[in-house]
Amino acid sequence: MLVLPDRDAAEEAAEEIAERFGVTDESQLVRDALAGEDDAEDAQWLVVVEDPDHRLDPAALDAFAAEYEGWLEAP
C-alpha cells in the first residue's frame, strides 16, 4: 500500500505503477482521513496494490512512492 499526500498524486501513481512495475490488476484508491481531523484537506490517499506472489520489490515501491511525496506502508 502506497501512502500519498493527495488525490492527484494517488491517481497519477496508480496509472504509472501499472506501466513501471507491470501490475496487471487495477490499483484501488482509498481516502484515509487522519485521526481526529475533520478537514478533508488533511486526508491522505492510499494506493492499494495487490501482490499476492510478492514479486514487487518493497524498496523500489518505496522509492516510487517518494517520487510522489509518499511512502510504502507494509501490510
Side-chain angles (χ1 to χ4, degrees):
M1 173 171 39
L2 307 179
V3 181
L4 300 168
D6 57 51
R7 183 181 188 137
D8 290 338
E11 288 176 345
E12 286 181 40
E15 290 177 16
E16 177 70 21
I17 201 165
E19 293 176 23
R20 192 176 300 186
F21 293 95
V23 175
T24 56
D25 293 335
E26 186 173 328
S27 300
Q28 180 182 5
L29 298 179
V30 179
R31 182 180 170 272
D32 183 36
L34 299 174
E37 297 292 338
D38 294 328
D39 189 355
E41 295 298 317
D42 292 326
Q44 296 173 327
W45 283 81
L46 309 177
V47 178
V48 180
V49 181
E50 297 292 330
D51 184 28
D53 298 327
H54 305 287
R55 295 181 308 110
L56 303 175
D57 177 19
L61 285 174
D62 192 46
F64 173 76
E67 294 176 23
Y68 294 92
E69 299 180 17
W71 64 89
L72 174 67
E73 185 74 28

